[in-house]
């Protein structure tokens, strides 16, 4: 008979070692205190257990269930609904390529294919060195910076297949990598802790990459009379001679 | 050198009309995003930050509700429901806690306004929340931020910390007697949580699935208590209304769609980005002043407010982008996410990808959406690959019809929108895939770098 796994955790699960349990419990109590009803803390607590082990384990589910007085089935039902909770071990850096329509059309599909070949992993797969997990992701609210790649949920805007290849090479080689919008990268586990509601304590992390990317300021600059950026074509308003788009000349590329 | 055709090659109807960017745009929310540290309380205060809240706290709560209602502010999250009316629906004197929940789950494909807004100026939201909480008598408000935007989460954590330290949050805010706590809550990846009742279930620690209505959140929302759920931009617009006055707000836009808003231009345009303008600007005007489509290309189809709003074409360039006019044109203003695709884009590919998204994000609660989106994907993948049959087109429309208006929530209606609208405007392109047994488009020509070696044209 075939054993169908479905990625479901196996119970009963062992508890965390006592010192880990004590540390996580203190954090969890702090999270729970932020809500009028303790169950509201479940999503942050799942981020918290993910910050400990890199994915939501059976032990993590048991921990959430015990602290919130839920069954492990109730916690599992929630953990499996949301895409940000991982069900198995993965890399330090989650590289997510947006392949929703707009990014895909503008090059997200090409970037994803390039990375898949370059890293030799399928969607959701992790490189052998455990550094990079490749995923295609849905629209991440940065369409004016398309095509977009997210690494541990920091923005890498206006990517190309080459820039994305360089990015994952740097990540695998341990070279520092700076997002276009966001702070210098921390590991997936450290990111999960911020998501659990614990502010990033690294000095300067809030400041990094400034207030807004160039596209964010496009309208403001025009309103100030600063004119559009240089890559803009000729002034609009003059109708095309034949009412059809001008075609690129053969051999222009 | 290639001349880009103006506005996709269509002559402007009113030559000499108002197209100067200084007069077309009205930066309010975005007014100081280019300052060195726009997200800080210090910068915000230099730009009249929290002045609107001070005015509101000096008024009676009911008067604040009436004021916002009179301003005509309508929800910026997609549906356009009057914000002040939402606040008025909260029963007062009922002895229950009231909650304000800000929907910062921005996930509608194409939509990219709330995330840059919160990244650049989170205090506009916090001040708006202070005003709204005072008005509806709420002492605990929540920001439900989608989890996939950690840079914004950092700024929100910091802004809330600053606001507590300066006395804009906490006990007895600015001596008004109002107590207010704000909890920043990160989601965990689920488009459906942008639907307000699914968001509430998610915030209660459950799977994000929509609830049956009635009861509406105003009566039984978070923890079954009266709850207002508002979009980020709606709430962030409130301080300026209080600060500069409802007449000022009404001086922009139209009678039924007053005020300013963020338009997000993306896709095959020369200058994608955020453009803050009065409601009712047209896509032609936006393209005119922002540089138009990318050089050498022509607009083919666009969405006025995300993938869930039926697509429009070149013939709709002059539709005023407000709630009424876009509705009259057969679509919806939605989130004002103007995704523009040029003639290199295969509409079947675009619709297939959006449909895969809806199938992936369908929560599974109701059958029409769960099963319908699955079958739409099967049909569309075959069509895109040239393996479809003519009868599949009617079948697509039929399945979409079985989802639209028959699903538990608006996700199903959204899934049907690209199907119906693309069949209306581009049926011939679907047929081309079937007859030619394949896709006639080269995806490489649609990429952002396709024309890179193309000589740049300087104005």
């Amino acid at each position: 008979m075939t054993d169908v796994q479905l990625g479901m955790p196996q119970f009963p699960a062992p508890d965390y070692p006592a010192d880990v349990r004590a540390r996580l419990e203190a954090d969890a109590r702090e999270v729970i205190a932020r809500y009028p009803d303790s169950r509201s803390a479940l999503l942050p607590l799942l981020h918290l257990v993910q910050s400990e082990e890199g994915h939501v384990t059976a032990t993590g589910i048991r921990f959430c269930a015990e602290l919130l007085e839920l069954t492990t089935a109730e916690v599992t039902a929630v953990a499996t609904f949301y895409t940000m909770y991982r069900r198995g071990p993965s890399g330090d850096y989650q590289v997510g390529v947006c392949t929703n329509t707009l990014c895909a059309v503008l090059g997200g599909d090409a970037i994803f294919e390039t990375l898949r070949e370059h890293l030799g992993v399928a969607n959701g797969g992790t490189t052998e060195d455990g550094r990079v997990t490749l995923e295609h992701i849905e629209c991440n609210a940065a369409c004016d910076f398309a095509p977009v790649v997210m690494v541990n949920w920091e923005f890498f805007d206006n990517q190309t297949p080459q820039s994305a290849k360089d990015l994952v090479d740097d990540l695998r080689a341990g070279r520092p990598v700076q997002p276009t919008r966001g702070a210098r990268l921390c590991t997936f586990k450290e990111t999960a802790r911020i998501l659990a509601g614990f502010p990033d304590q690294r000095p300067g992390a809030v400041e990094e990459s400034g207030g807004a990317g160039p596209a964010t300021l496009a309208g403001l600059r025009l309103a100030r009379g600063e004119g559009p950026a240089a890559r803009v074509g000729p002034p609009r308003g003059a109708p095309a001679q034949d009412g059809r788009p001008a075609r690129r000349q053969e051999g222009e590329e | 050198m290639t001349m880009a055709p103006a506005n996709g090659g269509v002559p402007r109807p009113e030559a000499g009309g108002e197209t100067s960017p200084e007069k077309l745009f009205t930066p309010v929310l975005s007014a100081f995003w280019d300052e060195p540290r726009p997200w800080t309380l210090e910068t915000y205060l230099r730009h009249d930050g929290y002045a609107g809240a001070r005015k509101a706290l000096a008024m009676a709560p009911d008067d604040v509700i009436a004021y916002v209602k009179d301003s005509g502010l309508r929800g910026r999250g997609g549906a356009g429901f009057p914000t002040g009316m939402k606040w008025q629906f909260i029963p007062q004197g009922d002895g229950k806690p009231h909650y304000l929940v800000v929907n910062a789950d921005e996930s509608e494909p194409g939509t990219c306004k709330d995330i840059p807004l919160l990244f650049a100026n989170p205090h506009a939201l916090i001040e708006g929340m202070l005003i709204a909480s005072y008005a509806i008598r709420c002492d605990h408000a929540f920001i439900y931020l989608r989890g996939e935007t950690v840079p914004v989460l950092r700024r929100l954590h910091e802004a809330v910390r600053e606001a507590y330290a300066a006395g804009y949050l906490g006990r007895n805010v600015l001596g008004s007697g109002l107590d207010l706590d704000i909890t920043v809550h990160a989601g965990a990846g689920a488009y459906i949580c942008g639907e307000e009742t699914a968001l509430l279930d998610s915030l209660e620690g459950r799977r994000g699935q929509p609830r049956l209505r009635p009861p509406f959140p105003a009566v039984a929302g978070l923890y079954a208590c009266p709850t207002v759920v508002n979009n980020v931009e709606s709430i962030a617009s409130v301080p300026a209304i209080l600060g500069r006055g409802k007449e000022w707000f009404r001086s922009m836009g139209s009678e039924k769609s007053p005020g300013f808003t963020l338009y997000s231009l993306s896709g095959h345009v020369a200058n994608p980005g955020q453009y803050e303008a009065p409601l009712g600007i047209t896509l032609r005007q936006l393209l005119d002043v922002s540089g138009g489509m990318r050089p050498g290309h022509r607009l083919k189809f666009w969405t006025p407010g995300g993938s869930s709003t039926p697509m429009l074409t070149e013939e709709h360039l002059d539709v005023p982008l407000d709630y009424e006019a876009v509705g009259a044109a057969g679509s919806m203003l939605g989130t004002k996410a103007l995704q523009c695709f040029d003639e290199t884009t295969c509409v079947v590919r675009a619709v297939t990808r959006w449909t895969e998204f809806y199938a992936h994000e369908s929560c599974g609660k109701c059958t029409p959406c769960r099963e319908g989106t699955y079958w739409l994907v099967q049909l569309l993948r075959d069509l895109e690959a040239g393996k479809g049959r003519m009868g599949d087109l009617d079948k697509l429309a039929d399945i979409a019809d079985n989802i639209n208006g028959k699903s538990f929530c608006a996700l199903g209606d959204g899934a049907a929108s690209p199907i119906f609208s693309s069949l209306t405007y581009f049926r011939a392109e679907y047929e081309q895939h079937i007859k030619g047994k394949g896709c006639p488009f080269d995806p490489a020509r649609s990429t952002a770098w396709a024309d890179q070696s193309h000589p740049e044209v300087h104005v």
Side-chain angles (χ1 to χ4, degrees):
Chain A
M1 202 178 111
T2 319
D3 184 19
V4 181
Q5 285 292 324
L6 297 175
M8 298 302 263
Q10 300 299 305
F11 294 100
D15 200 352
Y16 288 117
D19 57 327
V20 175
R21 166 91 191 196
R23 174 165 50 78
L24 287 181
E25 206 170 309
D27 285 342
R29 299 277 173 223
E30 196 182 322
V31 173
I32 292 167
R34 296 180 192 141
Y35 299 92
D37 181 298
S38 65
R39 183 164 179 163
S40 282
L42 181 51
L43 267 64
L45 289 196
L46 286 165
H47 284 305
L48 181 70
V49 297
Q50 197 156 249
S51 78
E52 187 62 31
E53 297 178 276
H55 70 285
V56 177
T57 62
T59 298
I61 287 174
R62 173 184 159 176
F63 173 81
C64 293
E66 285 176 8
L67 268 105
L68 300 176
E69 294 173 10
L70 299 169
T71 65
T72 52
E74 285 170 316
V75 175
T76 305
V78 173
T80 53
F81 185 83
Y82 298 93
T83 53
M84 287 176 77
Y85 301 129
R86 294 173 167 179
R87 302 199 208 171
S90 344
D92 293 333
Y93 298 101
Q94 182 191 333
V95 175
V97 182
C98 178
T99 55
N100 201 302
T101 300
L102 191 124
C103 273
V105 165
L106 287 175
D109 278 356
I111 291 171
F112 186 76
E113 281 313 311
T114 302
L115 290 186
R116 195 151 70 166
E117 263 178 40
H118 185 64
L119 297 173
V121 297
N123 181 38
T126 302
T127 52
E128 275 175 20
D129 57 10
R131 297 287 282 177
V132 169
T133 299
L134 178 68
E135 278 181 352
H136 70 76
I137 58 169
E138 297 300 353
C139 183
N140 222 74
C143 315
D144 44 349
F145 295 95
V148 169
V149 171
M150 305 296 293
V151 182
N152 290 351
W153 307 116
E154 312 280 345
F155 291 96
F156 289 77
D157 300 320
N158 300 117
Q159 293 294 296
T160 65
Q162 188 58 49
S163 69
K165 252 159 79 170
D166 295 345
L167 172 62
V168 294
D169 286 348
D170 286 346
L171 291 172
R172 297 184 74 185
R175 288 187 287 267
V177 159
Q178 198 70 35
T180 38
R181 286 178 298 144
R184 84 207 94 109
L185 293 183
C186 45
T187 63
F188 183 82
K189 287 183 187 176
E190 289 161 341
T191 304
R193 186 170 170 82
I194 303 171
L195 287 161
F198 296 95
D200 195 336
Q201 299 296 337
R202 295 175 298 163
V206 175
E207 318 275 326
E208 280 173 35
S209 80
T216 305
L217 301 176
L220 181 59
R221 295 228 156 105
L222 278 180
R224 296 237 166 98
E226 290 173 23
R231 67 193 178 93
V232 169
R236 301 298 144 134
Q241 287 75 3
D242 59 356
R244 295 184 64 81
R247 298 295 298 266
R248 281 179 297 126
Q249 302 297 309
E250 284 303 316
E252 213 166 51
E253 293 187 355
Chain B
M1 190 179 98
T2 301
M3 294 291 286
N7 335 312
V10 182
R12 290 220 318 273
E14 16 164 58
E18 187 55 79
T19 50
S20 126
E22 292 91 332
K23 289 180 182 158
L24 263 184
F25 296 129
T26 49
V28 177
L29 290 168
S30 61
F32 57 91
W33 285 357
D34 58 347
E35 289 229 352
R37 303 170 80 237
W39 65 88
T40 60
L41 179 60
E42 188 267 325
T43 307
Y44 192 58
L45 291 174
R46 268 196 287 114
H47 293 272
D48 297 326
Y50 290 95
R54 286 180 193 277
K55 278 192 190 166
L57 293 175
M59 296 161 71
D62 284 345
D63 292 345
V64 176
I65 295 177
Y67 198 89
V68 172
K69 205 176 150 192
D70 289 350
S71 77
L73 173 65
R74 297 174 63 171
R76 304 295 194 231
F81 193 83
T83 303
M85 205 180 287
K86 243 187 193 180
W87 297 4
Q88 200 177 33
F89 286 156
I90 298 294
Q92 295 300 338
D94 56 345
K96 290 183 184 171
H98 300 168
Y99 295 107
L100 169 70
V101 178
V102 171
N103 184 346
D105 194 53
E106 182 163 74
S107 309
E108 168 74 16
T111 307
C112 50
K113 64 189 179 69
D114 296 335
I115 292 305
L117 190 168
L118 292 174
F119 190 59
N121 182 10
H123 281 286
L125 176 69
I126 294 172
E127 185 184 358
M129 290 175 75
L130 174 53
I131 297 168
S133 298
Y134 175 73
I136 66 166
R137 286 78 145 179
C138 150
D139 63 10
H140 196 163
F142 298 84
I143 304 170
Y144 187 105
L145 175 73
R146 69 179 296 186
E148 301 98 322
T149 55
V150 171
V152 171
L153 182 60
R154 258 187 216 101
R155 297 256 161 104
L156 278 174
H157 281 154
E158 174 64 8
V160 167
R161 187 197 65 74
E162 281 190 307
Y164 270 107
Y168 297 109
L169 294 176
R171 304 283 80 79
N172 191 20
V173 172
L174 301 176
S176 66
L178 172 75
D179 296 339
L180 179 62
D181 286 312
I182 289 183
T183 298
V184 180
H185 182 93
Y191 167 66
I192 186 63
C193 291
E195 196 282 337
E196 64 175 8
T197 61
L199 186 151
L200 293 173
D201 258 35
S202 178
L203 185 50
E204 290 183 3
R206 298 167 193 278
R207 294 163 75 91
Q209 294 189 316
R211 299 174 179 176
L212 189 66
R213 288 174 292 190
F216 288 91
V219 175
L222 189 63
Y223 314 126
C225 292
T227 302
V228 165
V229 184
N230 276 150
N231 167 261
V232 169
E233 190 192 345
S234 315
I235 289 286
S237 299
V238 169
I241 293 171
L242 265 292
R244 301 203 209 175
K246 61 187 180 190
E247 294 77 17
W248 163 80
F249 188 75
R250 280 200 163 278
S251 73
M252 292 174 272
S254 68
E255 164 90 33
K256 287 182 176 168
S257 298
F260 55 86
T261 195
L262 287 164
Y263 290 98
S264 309
L265 209 49
S266 65
H268 292 127
V269 296
N271 282 297
Q274 306 302 317
Y275 295 84
E276 199 173 4
L279 280 159
I281 194 170
T282 66
L283 180 58
R284 187 190 301 280
Q285 285 174 308
L286 277 166
L287 287 175
D288 260 352
V289 295
S290 69
M293 298 299 286
R294 60 178 179 165
H297 295 278
R298 181 187 187 104
L299 178 65
K300 179 176 175 182
F301 63 96
W302 56 289
T303 67
S307 58
S308 302
T309 60
M311 66 172 68
L312 299 174
T313 66
E314 208 177 57
E315 66 184 271
H316 303 102
L317 274 165
D318 295 308
V319 171
L321 296 172
D322 62 24
Y323 300 98
E324 287 71 33
V326 180
S331 188
M332 286 169 67
L333 184 62
T335 55
K336 303 143 294 146
L338 307 164
Q339 309 176 84
C340 300
F341 297 90
D342 70 19
E343 84 291 346
T344 64
T345 315
C346 172
V347 80
V348 179
R349 177 185 178 206
V351 172
T352 302
R353 195 59 60 88
W354 277 324
T355 307
E356 287 171 343
F357 166 77
Y358 291 109
H360 182 254
E361 300 298 332
S362 174
C363 77
K365 180 163 181 159
C366 77
T367 310
C369 174
R370 183 186 64 240
E371 301 300 321
T373 53
Y374 171 84
W375 287 109
L376 286 176
V377 167
Q378 308 310 310
L379 284 169
L380 281 164
R381 283 183 181 161
D382 273 357
L383 282 163
E384 191 192 353
K387 293 185 282 183
R389 290 177 295 187
M390 282 300 175
D392 290 347
L393 300 185
D394 289 338
K395 199 177 283 173
L396 269 187
D398 188 43
I399 296 173
D401 184 53
N402 276 312
I403 301 174
N404 190 37
K406 298 166 186 79
S407 303
F408 204 81
C409 78
L411 190 146
D413 304 342
S417 286
I419 309 277
F420 286 141
S421 54
S422 63
L423 282 171
T424 301
Y425 300 118
F426 298 102
R427 195 178 178 101
E429 199 167 305
Y430 281 96
E431 291 173 355
Q432 216 181 335
H433 281 73
I434 298 166
K435 289 178 193 152
K437 297 194 186 306
C439 177
F441 291 86
D442 174 8
R445 291 197 61 216
S446 304
T447 61
W449 52 84
D451 298 345
Q452 212 162 46
S453 58
H454 189 73
E456 287 192 348
V457 184
H458 296 268
V459 185

